Amino acid sequence: MELKPVGSSAFISWLICSLALSAALAVPAHADNARALPKPNWDQAAALQAVADSDQLLGHQANLSVWLQQIDGGDALHVLNAVQHSDQAGKPAFEAQLFDLAVALAEAPLEAAVDELLLWLADYPSQVLVAHEESADYGIALYPVAAAALGATSERQRRRGQILSRNLLSRNP
């Protein structure tokens, strides 16, 4: 008994039509009105130099991230809201400090009241954008503060879960 392909030309037609429809849907109808990608607003070398100059000027004793970890979460938010609107020249150093703070908060004691501070950091829109290494027209955050804050939040949740798991296993193995 010989098997003959049934409707193979219909299948090929259907496949071509579905691929054409998929391609048409993938390309926005008004590509000119698509959301513009952020443009770089800092030269990377200049931004890194501004951070280095700030570190030398302030010294390690005046490190914002270390200081903010030592005060109450609510007070830290007031300080950050006030400092956030400082001059543009200090933005790279400010964002470097925020990034360091977010990374450090991942290891803060779990009883520390830093959840509001992490939420604030996770919502922080990076303002120091440097050229992407593969496309000079596209700006990326030099210090991705929001990503670091989300990572710190995830780490704190992991640590809380680990403690909860240990407690549950010790009660009911």
Side-chain angles (χ1 to χ4, degrees):
M1 183 166 144
E2 185 179 331
L3 293 176
K4 294 184 180 178
V6 178
S8 63
S9 63
F11 175 75
I12 292 174
S13 297
W14 174 83
L15 183 63
I16 291 172
C17 287
S18 64
L19 289 174
L21 181 61
S22 297
L25 293 176
V27 177
H30 302 288
D32 296 338
N33 295 335
R35 189 175 75 166
L37 295 174
K39 300 286 184 201
N41 58 3
W42 274 86
D43 175 64
Q44 186 170 2
L48 292 173
Q49 186 60 48
V51 172
D53 292 346
S54 173
D55 286 347
Q56 290 174 355
L57 180 66
L58 295 176
H60 296 293
Q61 291 78 20
N63 190 330
L64 178 67
S65 65
V66 171
W67 182 73
L68 285 173
Q69 288 179 63
Q70 297 170 355
I71 63 175
D72 178 70
D75 292 338
L77 286 177
H78 292 300
V79 170
L80 288 175
N81 283 322
V83 176
Q84 174 184 354
H85 303 292
S86 64
D87 65 315
Q88 185 65 17
K91 286 294 181 194
F94 178 65
E95 290 192 6
Q97 297 279 341
L98 291 181
F99 183 83
D100 290 344
L101 173 63
V103 170
L105 288 176
E107 298 302 321
L110 293 177
E111 59 275 359
V114 297
D115 292 337
E116 277 187 67
L117 187 54
L118 282 169
L119 284 173
W120 188 91
L121 291 168
D123 286 339
Y124 182 81
S126 293
Q127 298 170 19
V128 178
L129 304 176
V130 296
H132 189 277
E133 63 186 31
E134 294 179 8
S135 174
D137 294 335
Y138 177 61
I140 58 170
L142 181 59
Y143 295 99
V145 174
L150 291 173
T153 300
S154 178
E155 173 60 19
R156 291 177 62 79
Q157 289 172 344
R158 184 197 66 77
R159 288 173 45 210
R160 284 184 183 122
Q162 187 178 32
I163 291 170
L164 178 64
S165 297
R166 277 191 206 138
N167 290 341
L168 290 173
L169 285 173
S170 67
R171 286 189 213 150
N172 195 9

